[in-house]
C-alpha cells in the first residue's frame, strides 16, 4: 500500500466514523425530521356502529381535531368478537393486519377494550411483528388483564373500573321495596361480569331478600321469551347491559328499540351502567361516557407522539363514572324524588321543573302559574290605570287648549271687530267734517262709502263665521243640495277674487279639463270654501306671487286644488290649521287680518258634502289645499228657501274683506 493509498483509506475511515456517529445521533431522536402527521391504528373488539366503541372514537376524533400541532389519521379495525371467537379467525385477522400495515406505517396502536387489548398485545411483544414495540395505548381494560407482560414503559391508557356497586346502591335508593332483580345482558364475558358483580354486591350489601334472575342472550327474541317465561312480578327492577341482535338477520338493535321491546314484556324501572342506554327510557345508572375516554386517550396520544416518556404518569384508572337519573322516569315509576341524592346528574329536567314529590310538584307548579297570572293581572291593572290616567291628562290638556283657544279667539275677535268699527267711525267723522266744511264731492263720497262698505263686509264675515261655527258645533249647520255645474260655480268664485289678487299684483290661473261637471252641491257654501282658500292664498302670498286654481273630475269625485307660492305652513301644523281659532304663527299672521275660523268652517262644509280637505305645504315655498267631493245627482232638489242672500260677488266681498286694509 502506497503512502497516498494509506492517506485515502484513513480519510475514508474518518468519514465513515463521522457518518456512523451522526446516524447514532439521528437514531437517538425519534425521527430524522420532525413528524407532524401520525397514523393511529384503533383495534375495536366489536363491529362498526357498536355504540360504546363509536362514542370512544368520537372522543378520539374530537381530541385529534383540537390538536393544533399534529394531524392524525385513524385506521379502525374491528374484531367482531361476539360473532367470531375461534383461534383460527384471530390468526387470520392478525395475518391481515401484518400484511395490510407495513412496518413504520403505523405510529401508535390503540386497543379500545379488554378483547382488543388481549388480541394485539402479542404483536407488541413479538419481535417479528410489524407492530413490535410501537407506542401502545388502551382504555377500559380490566386491571388484571392489563398489568401483565407488556412493560409499562411501552403502554399507557385507562384501566376500567367496575361501577356495579354504585349502580346497585342507586337501585336500592330509588326502589327501596325492590324484591326482584332481572339482570338482562348480552351473552359475553362483559355480560357475565356484570351479573357476577351484581350478585356479589346484592348478597354482600343489600341485607335484603332480593330474587335475582339472570337473562343472558345475544338475541332479543330469546330475551323476551325468557321474560315471558318468568312473568311480570311486582317490585321488580331490570338491569340492562350490552347489545342485542335480531335472531334471523343478526342486525343489532338500536338501544331505544331494545328498551322499548323489553318494556313491552316487563315495564319495571330499568337501569344500566352502559352509556348506550342513557336517554333511552331507563331510570338511570352509573355511566362512563365513552366520548370522555376517547378524548383522554387522544390527549395522551398527542403527548406520547410528541416524545413524552410513556412511563411518566400512566397507566391510570379511568375517570369516575357519574350517576345519572332521568327526571321523567322518576314520576313514571312513582319513585320518591327525595331519594335522589344530590350527587346524581338529572337528565331531561327542564329549568322550570322541580325535583319534588308529585303532589308538591303540582302545588308548586300551580303556585308558580298563579303568581305569573297574578303578576300579569297586576301589570294589566297597572297599565289600565296608566292608560286612564293618560286619557284623563289628554282630556284635561284638550280642555285647557280649548280654553286657551277661546281666550285667544276673544282677544282676536275684539281686535277684529275694533278695526272695521274704527274704520267706519273714522270715515263717518271724515264725511261729517267734510259736510261741515262743505268740501263734499261725489268722488270723495264714493271713496268713503267704499271704506264703510268694505268694513261692514268684514263685520258681516265675522258675524257669519261665528254663527256658522256655532251652528256646526250644535249640528244645526244645514246645506241645500242642488244639481249644479260645479266648474262654473268654482269659476265664478275664482273670477270674483281676481280684483283682490290684483291689489297685491298676484297672478291668478284657473284651470279645468271639463267645461261642465254636474253634481249635487250647496252652491253658496262651496263658493265660500273656494273663496276662503283663495282669500288665504292671497293673504299669505307675497306681492308678485302666483295662485293656481284647478278643477277636474277623477274617479267619480270632483277635485279642486288651490296652489299658492306663499309663506307655506310647517308640517307639524297641518292638522292644527283646521282647528277653530287656530292661526299658525301669530307674529306673522297678525300682519294679516283673520280670526282662525275660515278653514274650520271650510272643513265642516266639505265634510257635510261627504268630501275631504287635505293640505300639502312646505314652509317658504307655498301650500296646496285639495278639496275632494264625491259626485252625485239629487232627483228631488231641496227647496232653496232663500238661503242665497248674496250673489257671488257679495260673498267674495265678504270673504275677501280681510285683504283690503
Ligand atoms: P284666518 O282667518 O286666520 O285666515 P283660517 O282658518 O282661514 O283663519 O286659517 C288658519 C291659519 O292657517 C291662518 O291663520 C294661517 O296661519 C294658516 N293658513 C291658511 N291658509 C294658508 C296659506 N294658504 N298659506 C299659509 N298659511 C295659511
Amino acid at each position: 500500500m502506497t503512502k497516498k493509498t494509506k492517506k485515502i483509506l484513513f480519510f475514508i475511515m474518518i468519514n465513515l466514523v463521522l457518518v456512523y456517529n451522526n446516524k447514532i445521533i439521528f437514531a437517538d431522536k425519534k425521527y430524522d425530521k420532525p413528524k407532524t402527521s401520525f397514523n393511529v391504528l384503533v383495534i375495536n373488539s366489536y363491529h362498526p356502529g357498536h355504540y360504546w366503541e363509536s362514542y370512544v372514537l368520537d372522543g378520539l376524533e374530537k381530541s385529534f381535531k383540537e390538536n393544533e400541532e399534529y394531524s392524525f389519521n385513524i385506521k379502525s379495525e374491528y374484531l367482531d368478537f361476539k360473532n367470531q371467537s375461534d383461534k383460527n379467525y384471530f390468526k387470520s385477522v392478525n395475518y391481515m393486519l401484518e400484511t395490510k400495515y407495513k412496518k413504520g406505517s403505523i405510529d401508535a396502536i390503540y386497543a379500545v377494550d379488554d378483547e382488543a387489548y388481549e388480541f394485539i398485545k402479542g404483536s407488541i411483544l413479538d419481535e417479528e411483528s410489524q407492530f413490535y414495540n410501537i407506542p401502545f395505548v388502551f382504555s377500559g381494560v380490566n386491571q388484571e388483564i392489563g398489568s401483565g407482560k407488556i412493560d409499562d414503559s411501552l403502554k399507557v391508557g385507562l384501566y376500567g373500573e367496575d361501577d356495579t356497586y354504585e349502580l346497585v346502591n342507586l337501585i336500592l335508593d330509588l326502589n327501596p321495596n325492590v324484591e326482584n332483580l332481572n339482570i338482562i345482558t348480552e351473552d359475553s364475558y362483559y355480560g357475565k361480569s356484570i351479573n357476577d358483580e351484581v350478585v356479589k354486591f346484592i348478597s354482600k350489601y343489600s341485607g335484603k331478600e332480593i330474587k335475582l334472575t339472570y337473562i343472558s342472550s345475544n338475541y332479543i327474541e330469546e330475551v323476551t321469551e325468557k321474560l315471558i317465561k318468568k312473568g311480570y312480578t311486582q317490585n321488580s327492577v331490570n338491569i340492562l347491559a350490552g347489545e342485542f341482535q335480531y335472531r334471523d338477520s343478526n342486525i343489532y338493535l338500536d338501544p331505544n328499540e331494545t328498551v322499548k321491546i323489553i318494556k313491552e314484556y316487563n315495564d319495571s324501572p330499568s337501569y344500566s351502567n352502559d352509556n348506550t342506554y342513557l336517554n333511552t327510557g331507563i331510570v338511570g345508572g352509573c355511566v362512563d361516557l365513552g366520548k370522555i375516554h376517547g378524548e383522554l386517550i387522544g390527549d395522551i396520544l398527542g403527548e406520547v407522539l410528541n416524545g413524552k416518556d410513556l412511563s411518566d404518569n400512566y397507566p391510570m384508572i379511568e375517570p369516575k363514572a357519574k350517576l345519572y337519573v332521568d327526571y321523567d322516569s322518576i314520576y313514571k315509576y312513582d319513585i320518591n324524588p327525595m331519594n335522589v341524592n344530590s350527587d346524581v346528574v338529572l337528565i331531561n329536567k327542564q329549568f322550570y321543573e322541580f325535583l319534588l314529590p308529585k303532589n308538591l310538584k303540582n302545588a308548586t307548579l300551580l303556585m308558580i302559574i298563579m303568581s305569573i297570572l297574578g303578576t300579569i293581572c297586576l301589570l294589566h291593572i297597572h297599565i289600565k290605570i296608566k292608560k286612564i290616567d293618560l286619557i284623563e291628562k289628554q282630556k284635561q290638556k284638550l280642555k285647557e287648549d280649548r280654553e286657551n283657544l277661546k281666550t285667544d279667539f276673544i282677544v282676536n275677535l275684539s281686535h277684529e271687530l275694533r278695526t272695521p268699527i274704527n274704520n267706519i267711525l273714522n270715515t263717518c267723522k271724515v264725511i261729517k267734517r267734510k259736510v261741515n266744511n262743505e268740501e263734499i264731492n261725489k268722488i270723495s263720497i264714493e271713496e268713503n262709502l267704499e271704506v264703510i262698505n268694505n268694513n261692514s263686509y268684514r263685520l258681516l264675515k265675522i258675524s257669519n263665521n261665528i254663527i256658522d261655527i256655532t251652528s256646526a258645533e250644535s249640528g244645526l249647520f244645514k246645506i241645500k243640495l242642488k244639481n249644479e255645474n260645479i266648474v262654473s260655480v268654482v269659476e265664478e268664485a275664482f273670477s270674483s277674487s281676481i280684483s283682490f289678487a290684483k291689489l297685491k299684483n298676484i297672478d291668478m290661473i284657473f284651470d279645468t279639463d271639463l267645461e261642465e261637471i254636474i253634481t249635487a252641491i250647496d252652491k253658496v257654501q262651496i263658493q265660500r270654501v273656494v273663496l276662503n282658500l283663495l282669500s288665504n292664498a292671497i293673504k299669505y302670498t307675497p306681492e308678485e306671487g302666483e295662485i293656481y286654481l284647478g278643477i277636474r273630475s277623477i274617479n267619480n269625485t270632483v277635485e279642486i286644488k288651490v296652489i299658492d307660492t306663499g309663506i307655506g305652513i310647517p308640517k307639524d301644523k297641518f292638522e292644527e290649521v283646521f282647528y277653530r281659532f287656530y292661526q299658525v304663527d301669530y307674529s306673522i299672521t297678525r300682519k294679516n287680518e283673520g280670526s282662525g275660523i275660515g278653514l274650520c268652517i271650510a272643513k265642516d262644509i266639505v265634510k257635510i258634502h261627504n268630501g275631504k280637505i287635505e293640505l300639502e305645504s312646505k314652509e317658504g315655498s307655498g301650500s296646496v289645499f285639495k278639496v275632494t267631493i264625491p259626485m252625485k245627482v239629487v232627483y228631488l232638489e231641496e227647496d232653496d228657501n232663500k238661503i242665497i242672500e248674496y250673489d257671488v260677488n257679495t260673498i267674495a266681498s265678504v270673504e275677501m274683506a280681510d285683504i283690503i286694509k
Side-chain angles (χ1 to χ4, degrees), residues 412 416 461 465 532-533 535-541 562 564 566-569 573 576-586 589-590 592-601 615 617 622-625 658:
N412 266 351
E416 292 291 312
K461 181 183 178 185
N465 280 349
N532 174 263
L533 297 181
S535 131
N536 279 344
I538 297 170
K539 251 198 280 182
Y540 301 108
T541 299
V562 176
D564 65 52
I567 58 172
I569 298 168
K573 301 288 184 301
E576 273 108 319
V577 291
F578 294 98
Y579 294 171
R580 273 186 306 155
F581 318 133
Y582 190 87
Q583 295 181 304
V584 173
D585 181 352
Y586 294 103
T589 50
R590 284 321 305 161
N592 300 290
E593 304 298 333
S595 52
I597 310 179
L599 281 179
C600 175
I601 293 175
L615 165 62
S617 181
S623 310
V624 179
F625 282 88
D658 290 345

Side-chain angles (χ1 to χ4, degrees), residues 557-574:
T557 60
V558 182
E559 188 188 278
I560 304 162
K561 259 189 192 174
V562 176
I563 306 173
D564 65 52
T565 54
I567 58 172
I569 298 168
K571 203 172 173 102
D572 58 326
K573 301 288 184 301
F574 281 9

Side-chain angles (χ1 to χ4, degrees), residues 75-86:
K75 318 265 180 200
S76 274
E77 297 294 347
Y78 297 87
L79 301 178
D80 196 15
F81 211 90
K82 235 181 278 170
N83 295 321
Q84 315 276 352
S85 51
D86 68 288

Side-chain angles (χ1 to χ4, degrees), residues 182 227 231-233 236 238 262-268 270:
N182 305 316
L227 280 173
Y232 175 76
T233 28
S236 291
N238 299 328
I262 288 176
K263 275 186 178 179
E264 275 168 26
Y265 294 90
N266 183 327
D267 191 12
S268 305
S270 296

Side-chain angles (χ1 to χ4, degrees), residues 89-143:
Y89 167 71
F90 289 117
K91 260 191 188 165
S92 65
V93 176
N94 199 23
Y95 177 75
M96 180 275 286
L97 292 180
E98 296 283 347
T99 327
K100 189 169 170 184
Y101 300 103
K102 297 282 170 250
K103 205 169 185 78
S105 67
I106 295 296
D107 298 296
I109 293 190
Y110 171 26
V112 170
D113 36 35
D114 279 329
E115 286 87 352
Y117 182 96
E118 283 283 29
F119 169 80
I120 202 71
K121 75 175 182 200
S123 308
I124 307 284
L125 295 170
D126 181 2
E127 283 186 35
E128 302 293 308
S129 165
Q130 313 279 36
F131 309 124
Y132 176 61
N133 260 359
I134 99 175
F136 178 48
V137 289
F138 60 87
S139 65
V141 169
N142 184 303
Q143 214 160 341

Side-chain angles (χ1 to χ4, degrees), residues 387-401:
K387 233 179 186 171
I388 292 171
D389 212 36
L390 197 78
I391 292 171
E392 276 307 311
K393 272 188 184 150
Q394 280 171 346
K395 271 187 187 164
Q396 186 60 30
K397 169 113 192 358
L398 210 72
K399 216 172 143 190
E400 280 170 19
D401 284 353

Side-chain angles (χ1 to χ4, degrees), residues 479-486 517-523 526 558 608-609 629-635 637-638:
I479 51 167
K480 305 276 180 198
L481 291 181
K482 211 173 160 192
N483 298 331
E484 305 270 6
N485 176 8
I486 192 167
I517 305 170
I518 302 292
T519 183
I521 49 163
D522 184 320
K523 177 179 169 180
I526 291 298
V558 182
I608 298 174
H609 280 84
I629 300 170
M631 275 163 65
K632 67 171 184 181
V633 176
V634 283
Y635 295 102
E637 288 184 356
E638 290 165 39

